[in-house]
Amino acid sequence: MRDSPTGRELKIARINIYHLYPEHLNLNGDRGNILALCERARWHGLAVNLVPVQPGETIDFGACDLLFMGGGGDAEQNMAAAELKKRRRDMQQAIEAGMVILATGGSYQLFGHYYTTLRGERMPGLELMDLYTEAGGKRLTGNIVVSCGLWDPPRTLVGFENHAGRTCLGKGVQPLGRVLHGHGNNGSDKTEGAVYRHAIGSYMHGPLLPKNPWLTDYLLAKALAYRGQTFTFKELDQSFEEQAHQTAVRLAGSRLHRWHARRA
Ligand code: GLN
């Protein structure tokens, strides 16, 4: 690094982002979540170390601050389950210590007890979150808007969902949000996603993060805190993202737009 004028090495907060199986787990634009995490981190002035992890490679969870896994079909889910089963204990220790995870779609389903496919095949999960998934006949697809309690007052999150799986949450996890428009975890209990410590699972694709910059900042902030790094985030101009978010809310239905307008 070039010497700074004072000769002291400037301490730049750094974040290690691991992207698991990028070629295999990338449904419905999920790669966009990595772009959003890296670019927004850089806009805030963070140094980003992005580590793509291919199947078969070892994973040093001790060095990982934030792990992202995208959605995948049943075959890719099977591969990821087999790979991660070998590393389950390290993964569990890192989650208990506060490592940040965003897992979408099929990767989300992997964190539970099991996932039963439409053909009745039961795929054992990683048992890292208290939930299970069973595929149903009709796919749950479409635009989705949820009210998310990670903030007080809650904020909306918008996305696109496309899953056969119906996920039911146990007592050990909280939902990421309450469905205002769309199907969510199972199309009946109005929950969407799951949160356990700093691990977040969600069916929201699209990708999820570009239209929900507050969630991107939440994940980055939690990852820095996990590493004990104090860091002041910038006030970024996110008018473009807000506009995209509001458009998604409007697309979801005018009645919902009134809900959003009341809170703004
Ligand atoms: N194969 C899983 C399902 O259909 C997950 C799909 C996804 O990643 N959205 O439920």
Side-chain angles (χ1 to χ4, degrees):
M1 170 178 179
R2 202 164 38 80
D3 277 348
S4 59
T6 59
R8 275 182 311 111
E9 185 165 340
L10 290 177
K11 186 156 171 18
I12 297 180
R14 163 179 296 280
I15 189 164
N16 296 322
I17 299 176
Y18 281 43
H19 185 187
L20 255 59
Y21 316 144
E23 318 306 326
H24 301 78
L25 298 176
N26 177 33
L27 274 188
N28 303 298
D30 280 347
R31 188 188 301 269
N33 291 314
I34 281 291
L35 296 177
L37 282 166
C38 293
E39 284 313 299
R40 199 160 171 90
R42 290 182 182 116
W43 294 344
H44 280 301
L46 284 165
V48 176
N49 176 27
L50 176 61
V51 181
V53 180
Q54 301 303 339
E57 290 180 348
T58 53
I59 308 169
D60 177 5
F61 287 110
C64 173
D65 303 326
L66 197 164
L67 180 141
F68 172 68
M69 297 173 66
D74 291 354
E76 290 74 18
Q77 263 177 262
N78 251 323
M79 177 280 291
E83 283 291 311
L84 292 176
K85 203 157 273 331
K86 302 172 209 162
R87 303 163 173 83
R88 182 192 173 282
R89 206 160 57 84
D90 295 349
M91 204 165 185
Q92 185 178 39
Q93 281 172 352
I95 291 172
E96 292 304 328
M99 178 180 73
V100 175
I101 297 181
L102 175 63
T104 57
S107 292
Y108 164 34
Q109 295 171 340
L110 277 185
F111 280 71
H113 303 298
Y114 64 85
Y115 167 59
T116 308
T117 68
L118 270 178
R119 294 179 299 281
E121 292 151 0
R122 187 161 164 151
M123 205 189 291
L126 297 169
E127 305 267 5
L128 294 170
M129 281 189 174
D130 183 11
L131 56 91
Y132 66 86
T133 302
E134 293 169 348
K138 183 176 176 301
R139 286 191 77 78
L140 302 179
T141 63
N143 294 319
I144 177 169
V145 182
V146 305
S147 168
C148 177
L150 288 179
W151 301 274
D152 182 15
R155 296 203 69 148
T156 47
L157 297 176
V158 297
F160 175 80
E161 60 184 325
N162 171 17
H163 52 103
R166 273 72 169 158
T167 294
C168 297
L169 304 184
K171 292 188 175 39
V173 289
Q174 297 300 317
L176 174 61
R178 185 171 51 82
V179 176
L180 297 175
H181 173 86
H183 306 285
N185 279 326
N186 48 51
S188 56
D189 69 5
K190 290 292 180 193
T191 65
E192 199 297 315
V195 181
Y196 173 67
R197 298 182 69 74
H198 296 148
I200 293 178
S202 175
Y203 277 119
M204 292 195 278
H205 299 284
L208 170 61
L209 294 180
K211 289 184 188 152
N212 303 290
W214 31 94
L215 183 56
T216 312
D217 286 351
Y218 174 90
L219 295 169
L220 294 173
K222 290 296 180 194
L224 290 167
Y226 167 54
R227 276 292 172 237
Q229 296 194 73
T230 49
F231 183 77
T232 308
F233 281 70
K234 293 178 180 166
E235 288 291 320
L236 298 174
D237 169 14
Q238 57 189 36
S239 48
F240 190 64
E241 292 91 331
E242 295 263 5
Q243 202 182 340
H245 183 94
Q246 292 274 356
T247 304
V249 171
R250 247 197 315 282
L251 279 177
S254 54
R255 59 179 166 71
L256 180 58
H257 186 54
R258 282 197 301 275
W259 179 92
H260 199 66
R262 274 199 306 276
R263 277 199 63 266

